[in-house]
Amino acid sequence: MYFVTNRKLYSKRPGLKLFGDTPNPRGANELRLVKVEGKNSASYRAEVLMDKLSKAEVEQLAADYQLPIDTSGDWYASLKVACALYKQACDERKSILFFVHGYNNDVEDVYKTALELEKRYGVIVVPVTWPANGG
Protein backbone atom coordinates (compact mmCIF):
# COMPACT_ATOMS: atom_id res chain seq x y z
CA MET A 1 0.00 0.00 0.00
CA TYR A 2 1.31 3.47 -0.86
CA PHE A 3 0.84 6.33 1.60
CA VAL A 4 0.89 10.00 0.62
CA THR A 5 2.07 12.15 3.51
CA ASN A 6 3.37 15.54 4.51
CA ARG A 7 4.61 14.23 7.86
CA LYS A 8 8.24 14.42 8.91
CA LEU A 9 9.77 11.03 8.07
CA TYR A 10 12.42 9.19 10.08
CA SER A 11 13.89 6.66 7.66
CA LYS A 12 15.89 4.85 10.37
CA ARG A 13 12.82 4.07 12.51
CA PRO A 14 11.13 0.69 12.04
CA GLY A 15 7.63 0.15 10.65
CA LEU A 16 5.04 2.87 11.13
CA LYS A 17 7.30 4.67 13.62
CA LEU A 18 8.91 6.06 10.47
CA PHE A 19 6.04 8.59 10.31
CA GLY A 20 6.54 11.61 12.56
CA ASP A 21 3.92 13.63 14.38
CA THR A 22 4.90 16.98 12.88
CA PRO A 23 4.86 18.38 9.33
CA ASN A 24 7.70 17.85 6.90
CA PRO A 25 10.47 20.38 7.69
CA ARG A 26 10.32 21.53 4.06
CA GLY A 27 6.77 22.72 4.71
CA ALA A 28 3.30 21.27 5.03
CA ASN A 29 2.85 21.26 1.23
CA GLU A 30 5.85 18.94 0.70
CA LEU A 31 4.39 15.50 -0.02
CA ARG A 32 6.28 12.21 0.14
CA LEU A 33 5.36 8.65 -0.81
CA VAL A 34 5.87 5.69 1.50
CA LYS A 35 5.29 2.02 0.71
CA VAL A 36 3.77 0.20 3.70
CA GLU A 37 3.28 -3.55 4.13
CA GLY A 38 2.32 -5.93 6.91
CA LYS A 39 -0.84 -7.09 8.66
CA ASN A 40 -0.02 -6.31 12.32
CA SER A 41 2.30 -4.07 14.32
CA ALA A 42 4.92 -6.83 14.60
CA SER A 43 5.17 -7.15 10.81
CA TYR A 44 4.75 -3.54 9.60
CA ARG A 45 7.40 -2.46 7.10
CA ALA A 46 7.64 1.04 5.67
CA GLU A 47 9.93 2.33 2.95
CA VAL A 48 10.25 5.97 1.92
CA LEU A 49 10.39 6.21 -1.86
CA MET A 50 13.19 8.29 -3.36
CA ASP A 51 11.88 11.64 -4.56
CA LYS A 52 13.49 11.69 -7.99
CA LEU A 53 13.54 8.82 -10.44
CA SER A 54 16.67 7.99 -12.36
CA LYS A 55 16.70 8.55 -16.13
CA ALA A 56 16.78 4.76 -16.60
CA GLU A 57 13.67 4.33 -14.40
CA VAL A 58 11.79 7.01 -16.33
CA GLU A 59 12.78 5.49 -19.68
CA GLN A 60 11.66 2.04 -18.48
CA LEU A 61 8.28 3.34 -17.26
CA ALA A 62 7.77 5.28 -20.50
CA ALA A 63 8.47 2.12 -22.50
CA ASP A 64 6.45 -0.24 -20.28
CA TYR A 65 3.37 2.00 -20.18
CA GLN A 66 3.76 3.68 -23.58
CA LEU A 67 3.88 7.10 -21.95
CA PRO A 68 4.40 10.04 -24.31
CA ILE A 69 6.67 11.91 -21.90
CA ASP A 70 9.96 13.75 -22.16
CA THR A 71 12.26 11.31 -20.42
CA SER A 72 15.09 13.85 -20.26
CA GLY A 73 13.25 15.96 -17.68
CA ASP A 74 12.90 15.45 -13.95
CA TRP A 75 10.34 12.86 -12.87
CA TYR A 76 9.35 11.88 -9.37
CA ALA A 77 8.18 8.89 -7.35
CA SER A 78 4.56 9.81 -8.09
CA LEU A 79 5.05 8.62 -11.69
CA LYS A 80 6.33 5.24 -10.52
CA VAL A 81 3.50 4.87 -7.98
CA ALA A 82 0.86 5.94 -10.50
CA CYS A 83 2.11 3.29 -12.95
CA ALA A 84 2.21 0.58 -10.26
CA LEU A 85 -1.32 1.45 -9.08
CA TYR A 86 -2.62 1.55 -12.64
CA LYS A 87 -1.17 -1.91 -13.34
CA GLN A 88 -2.55 -3.31 -10.08
CA ALA A 89 -6.01 -1.83 -10.75
CA CYS A 90 -6.07 -3.29 -14.26
CA ASP A 91 -4.72 -6.69 -13.19
CA GLU A 92 -7.11 -7.02 -10.24
CA ARG A 93 -10.01 -5.18 -11.93
CA LYS A 94 -10.38 -2.86 -8.94
CA SER A 95 -10.96 0.82 -8.40
CA ILE A 96 -8.52 3.07 -6.55
CA LEU A 97 -9.75 4.91 -3.46
CA PHE A 98 -7.84 7.87 -2.01
CA PHE A 99 -8.57 7.81 1.73
CA VAL A 100 -8.03 11.07 3.57
CA HIS A 101 -8.22 10.40 7.30
CA GLY A 102 -10.04 12.50 9.84
CA TYR A 103 -8.69 14.82 12.50
CA ASN A 104 -6.03 13.53 14.90
CA ASN A 105 -5.79 9.91 13.69
CA ASP A 106 -2.46 8.17 14.13
CA VAL A 107 -0.84 6.33 11.23
CA GLU A 108 -1.58 2.87 12.61
CA ASP A 109 -5.31 3.67 12.80
CA VAL A 110 -5.21 5.03 9.24
CA TYR A 111 -3.44 1.88 8.01
CA LYS A 112 -5.85 -0.48 9.78
CA THR A 113 -8.83 1.43 8.38
CA ALA A 114 -7.31 1.37 4.88
CA LEU A 115 -6.82 -2.42 5.10
CA GLU A 116 -10.45 -2.81 6.21
CA LEU A 117 -11.68 -0.62 3.34
CA GLU A 118 -9.74 -2.76 0.86
CA LYS A 119 -11.17 -5.95 2.32
CA ARG A 120 -14.76 -4.73 2.67
CA TYR A 121 -15.15 -2.93 -0.66
CA GLY A 122 -12.64 -4.70 -2.91
CA VAL A 123 -10.71 -1.55 -3.78
CA ILE A 124 -7.09 -0.43 -3.75
CA VAL A 125 -6.65 2.20 -1.03
CA VAL A 126 -4.11 5.01 -1.11
CA PRO A 127 -4.15 6.68 2.33
CA VAL A 128 -3.30 10.35 2.66
CA THR A 129 -2.03 11.14 6.15
CA TRP A 130 -0.94 14.36 7.73
CA PRO A 131 -0.16 15.50 11.29
CA ALA A 132 -3.64 16.91 11.92
CA ASN A 133 -2.75 17.78 15.50
CA GLY A 134 0.96 18.27 14.99
CA GLY A 135 1.40 21.81 13.77
Side-chain angles (χ1 to χ4, degrees):
M1 180 178 297
Y2 294 100
F3 273 65
V4 177
T5 189
N6 69 345
R7 292 174 182 268
K8 184 173 182 176
L9 300 174
Y10 298 91
S11 59
K12 303 242 190 276
R13 290 184 183 174
L16 299 181
K17 292 180 187 339
L18 172 141
F19 292 92
D21 293 329
T22 59
N24 185 318
R26 290 184 175 178
N29 293 329
E30 178 78 16
L31 298 177
R32 298 294 307 272
L33 290 159
V34 179
K35 186 173 184 177
V36 177
E37 299 174 320
K39 297 296 180 191
N40 58 56
S41 58
S43 68
Y44 293 151
R45 291 176 310 285
E47 171 193 359
V48 179
L49 301 184
M50 294 297 295
D51 279 338
K52 273 192 176 177
L53 299 178
S54 69
K55 183 171 175 45
E57 286 177 297
V58 174
E59 288 172 346
Q60 188 65 57
L61 290 169
D64 290 349
Y65 294 94
Q66 294 140 18
L67 301 174
I69 60 175
D70 178 5
T71 59
S72 66
D74 289 337
W75 290 93
Y76 300 89
S78 56
L79 175 65
K80 185 175 182 177
V81 170
C83 289
L85 290 170
Y86 173 77
K87 180 177 183 342
Q88 181 184 358
C90 289
D91 290 350
E92 296 176 13
R93 306 185 92 180
K94 291 182 176 179
S95 295
I96 299 170
L97 171 71
F98 284 85
F99 168 54
V100 181
H101 72 77
Y103 180 76
N104 208 20
N105 294 130
D106 69 23
V107 176
E108 186 169 10
D109 288 340
V110 172
Y111 186 48
K112 287 178 179 178
T113 301
L115 290 171
E116 180 61 31
L117 288 167
E118 284 188 334
K119 182 178 172 183
R120 181 176 293 182
Y121 298 107
V123 295
I124 299 165
V125 176
V126 179
V128 180
T129 183
W130 76 98
N133 198 23

